[in-house]
Amino acid sequence: TPQLQRIGLHVQDVARMLGLLGWPVCSPDVARMLVKDEDGLLAGLLERFAEQPDWTPEDTQTTFDNVLNALVAVRGFLRRGEWLRAHEWHSLWVVGGLTRLARHAEEVSQPPTAARWAERDLSAGVLNRLQDCAVGVAELEAGWQKALTLATELAALLSLNGRAELSSAFSLTPAPSPPFSDG
């Protein structure tokens, strides 16, 4: 309905309120952020928060390098049988980094959370490629391969140093199957 409003409410112990100074800053409106503050502590912290520079994404080469680093880590976790840890890293660092690189490639906004509004901002073709990389635990090997291919293609598109030596050194020998899969 037109009257529907979204409100984000954060509840925090007073002893941990200084932590909000570590949040990413994106043109905050302090007046809209404050609902109740009996002692003025929150208002003071929000003012300090708002005075910080706005968040900016890391440069694209660093993002690409971090994706490659995460791919190496995921491969190592798979080889040691740490399937859940591999999945976590793949989801957060690989797919997240690829999403950020895709945003750069398509010249769309870069919010602090790479996946925010990705379905709205990115083309259907790029979204399909990202979804092919975002796999479950049992499909990590296939997702890993697709992520490496997409990372390499995005690096070329963005004129980044593709780290050919590292990319070619990746072993394409499949990792062992997870112990709980059917195959």
Side-chain angles (χ1 to χ4, degrees):
T1 68
Q3 297 80 24
L4 183 63
Q5 292 189 16
R6 178 181 179 264
I7 297 172
L9 179 63
H10 297 271
V11 179
Q12 190 68 264
D13 183 79
V14 173
R16 296 183 60 198
M17 284 183 54
L18 277 173
L20 77 85
L21 295 176
W23 290 3
V25 179
C26 292
S27 305
D29 181 351
V30 173
R32 293 186 68 188
M33 295 173 76
L34 189 61
V35 175
K36 181 179 178 181
D37 184 28
E38 294 173 355
D39 60 5
L41 174 65
L42 181 58
L45 283 173
L46 288 173
E47 287 298 328
R48 288 175 53 195
F49 172 74
E51 291 169 357
Q52 298 178 99
D54 273 0
W55 177 88
T56 55
E58 65 192 8
D59 67 272
T60 52
Q61 185 66 57
T62 300
T63 301
F64 175 70
D65 291 346
N66 287 339
V67 168
L68 289 182
N69 182 56
L71 284 167
V72 170
V74 167
R75 177 56 53 146
F77 299 149
L78 290 174
R79 296 247 181 256
R80 290 194 306 266
E82 295 181 73
W83 289 89
L84 292 177
R85 187 174 183 197
H87 184 263
E88 177 185 39
W89 273 62
H90 185 82
S91 299
L92 293 173
W93 302 111
V94 175
V95 175
L98 290 173
T99 303
R100 183 118 10 245
L101 289 172
R103 286 179 164 284
H104 282 294
E106 295 204 338
E107 299 179 352
V108 296
S109 66
Q110 290 281 352
T113 306
R116 184 171 189 169
W117 299 313
E119 291 79 4
R120 179 191 74 184
D121 294 344
L122 297 172
S123 68
V126 168
L127 281 174
N128 286 336
R129 298 283 305 278
L130 288 168
Q131 289 171 358
D132 286 345
C133 297
V135 295
V137 174
E139 298 85 27
L140 269 174
E141 182 62 29
W144 186 92
Q145 296 287 345
K146 290 176 181 178
L148 177 59
T149 300
L150 181 56
T152 303
E153 290 173 14
L154 289 170
L157 185 65
L158 293 165
S159 301
L160 302 175
N161 179 336
R163 311 292 188 217
E165 314 80 39
L166 178 61
S167 296
S168 66
F170 280 121
S171 169
L172 298 181
T173 306
S177 297
F180 45 83
S181 74
D182 292 331

